[in-house]
Amino acid sequence: MGDVVMAIIPLRQTVIISPYLGNDPDYNEPIYGDDYEAKCRFSEGVKLVRNGRGEEVASVGSFLFDKLPRIDVADRLTYTDENMRTITYTPISISVKRWLGGKPALTEVHV
């Protein structure tokens, strides 16, 4: 019987991730790949964070993911809450929390 590996915190929510592929050469609109679903924990709350350019901006929430999923700041994250309200977010910053040995434990994505 195989071992069941669980995240260090319960991840009972899901988010739809649309990976950014690039911009349309004719219209300069973003192009996204196939959507996929990922387990997460979403916490709402305003917090000041630094974006990729080092500027301080307001985050309205954060997603926690197990280990190190492939998420980029140009991707779109679409989340539906318990009241069936659907909101699409763009990441502001992505940080990886690591175990003492250096392996990824959690990835936090501020939106």
Side-chain angles (χ1 to χ4, degrees):
M1 190 171 196
D3 293 333
V4 176
V5 179
M6 296 177 59
I8 60 172
I9 61 168
L11 301 174
R12 295 192 177 113
Q13 297 159 309
T14 57
V15 65
I16 304 296
I17 299 173
S18 305
Y20 174 77
L21 299 178
N23 282 356
D24 180 283
D26 297 325
Y27 301 102
N28 202 29
E29 294 288 326
I31 300 171
Y32 295 94
D34 294 335
D35 294 347
Y36 65 94
E37 194 173 272
K39 291 282 194 187
C40 68
R41 175 176 287 185
F42 181 68
S43 298
E44 294 170 303
V46 178
K47 178 180 179 181
L48 289 177
V49 297
R50 295 207 180 269
N51 64 16
R53 294 183 298 277
E55 302 162 335
E56 203 170 64
V57 294
S59 164
V60 296
S62 64
F63 289 92
L64 287 176
F65 296 95
D66 190 32
K67 298 183 177 124
L68 188 58
R70 288 185 179 255
I71 298 175
D72 189 82
V73 293
D75 294 348
R76 287 188 314 201
L77 285 74
T78 303
Y79 175 72
T80 302
D81 68 14
E82 294 81 3
N83 292 322
M84 301 312 294
R85 184 178 54 158
T86 300
I87 301 175
T88 298
Y89 299 98
T90 302
I92 296 170
S93 67
I94 300 172
S95 61
V96 179
K97 314 299 182 196
R98 297 185 180 273
W99 295 106
L100 290 176
K103 291 189 179 208
L106 291 170
T107 297
E108 183 174 30
V109 179
H110 286 282
V111 294

